[in-house]
Amino acid sequence: MTQVRRPLAIALLLLSAPFAASAGDGDAPASSVSWEVSAVSDYLFRGASQTDEKATLQGTLTWTSAAGLYVGSFASGVDFGEDSPDIEVDYFVGYGFDATDKVNIDVVLNRYTYPGASEMAYNELVTTATIAENWALSVGYTNDVWGSSTTGWYYGLAHDCALPNDLTLSANVGRSVFADAEVASDYTDWGVGLSRSFGPAEVSLGYYGVDGKGRDNFGQLADSRVLLTVTFAR
């Protein structure tokens, strides 16, 4: 994974600076800060490569209150072609709560931004119901998908299950629906993967793809592919 962009790497190092200080706190606070840094062989978003099929670094920083409210930011390298932005920086605010002892509801508003390309920025509201801890049903809505002023919906279903040898099997399927067919055709994405922790790192290997309409939308950037991810988190 050698295609990491230097500005993103520097940003992730700066973001990680406060974590060493907070890691030694003895008592659990009413609120908490968590972080995650990943190296990925490709940045896939709903089945399409955002990095022109190259590797990159990604980082997430989240503050969560005792009441379930959370805010944070996500950063990743991107590559949409010559003179395109090199970094995606997203901001999010959400709230999660247990509706029953087996159902958790999470509502989050995401702001996708691309420094140097403000016209690409847009908002998306995503609601996820997690059932029995290993089934997740998500619905996303935006009135400005990819900054196109077009309404878009996303429906997703994901499932995790434990396997022997500390392995976890994950599978997901999603459907993207667009109000304007000239912006994009409706399409389905899917994926299946295995993950396992090795000390402080979690390693996952998956296979992802889209249907024919998705390949019509994104060309080779939506070809089926293997994705390797190595994540460190606290």
Side-chain angles (χ1 to χ4, degrees), residues 91-102:
Y91 306 94
F92 54 86
V93 56
Y95 178 67
F97 63 95
D98 292 327
T100 71
D101 58 351
K102 291 187 177 180

Side-chain angles (χ1 to χ4, degrees), residues 81-96:
E82 188 175 356
D83 298 326
S84 70
D86 292 328
I87 299 176
E88 173 184 335
V89 181
D90 303 338
Y91 306 94
F92 54 86
V93 56
Y95 178 67

Side-chain angles (χ1 to χ4, degrees), residues 120-200:
M120 295 174 60
Y122 68 102
N123 301 323
E124 183 180 44
L125 182 67
V126 181
T127 301
T128 301
T130 301
I131 304 168
E133 297 185 353
N134 57 5
W135 288 93
L137 177 64
S138 300
V139 178
Y141 167 78
T142 176
N143 63 352
D144 189 25
V145 62
W146 309 323
S148 66
S149 300
T150 296
T151 296
W153 290 88
Y154 185 77
Y155 307 93
L157 178 65
H159 178 62
D160 294 337
C161 64
L163 297 179
N165 300 314
D166 298 321
L167 290 169
T168 299
L169 174 66
S170 303
N172 69 277
V173 62
R175 181 71 175 171
S176 295
V177 178
F178 306 96
D180 187 349
E182 293 186 0
V183 171
S185 299
D186 301 347
Y187 75 98
T188 300
D189 69 274
W190 53 268
V192 60
L194 286 172
S195 61
R196 188 182 190 279
S197 294
F198 296 90

Side-chain angles (χ1 to χ4, degrees), residues 55-76:
T56 192
L57 282 180
Q58 299 178 334
T60 305
L61 180 64
T62 307
W63 174 85
T64 304
S65 74
L69 177 70
Y70 61 91
V71 295
S73 182
F74 165 84
S76 177

Side-chain angles (χ1 to χ4, degrees), residues 193-233:
L194 286 172
S195 61
R196 188 182 190 279
S197 294
F198 296 90
E202 180 176 273
V203 179
S204 63
L205 186 67
Y207 189 69
Y208 300 86
V210 301
D211 63 7
K213 291 295 186 180
R215 291 190 293 274
D216 290 343
N217 288 336
F218 307 112
Q220 70 177 28
L221 297 180
D223 287 347
S224 299
R225 71 197 63 215
V226 173
L227 176 64
L228 175 64
T229 303
V230 180
T231 300
F232 296 86

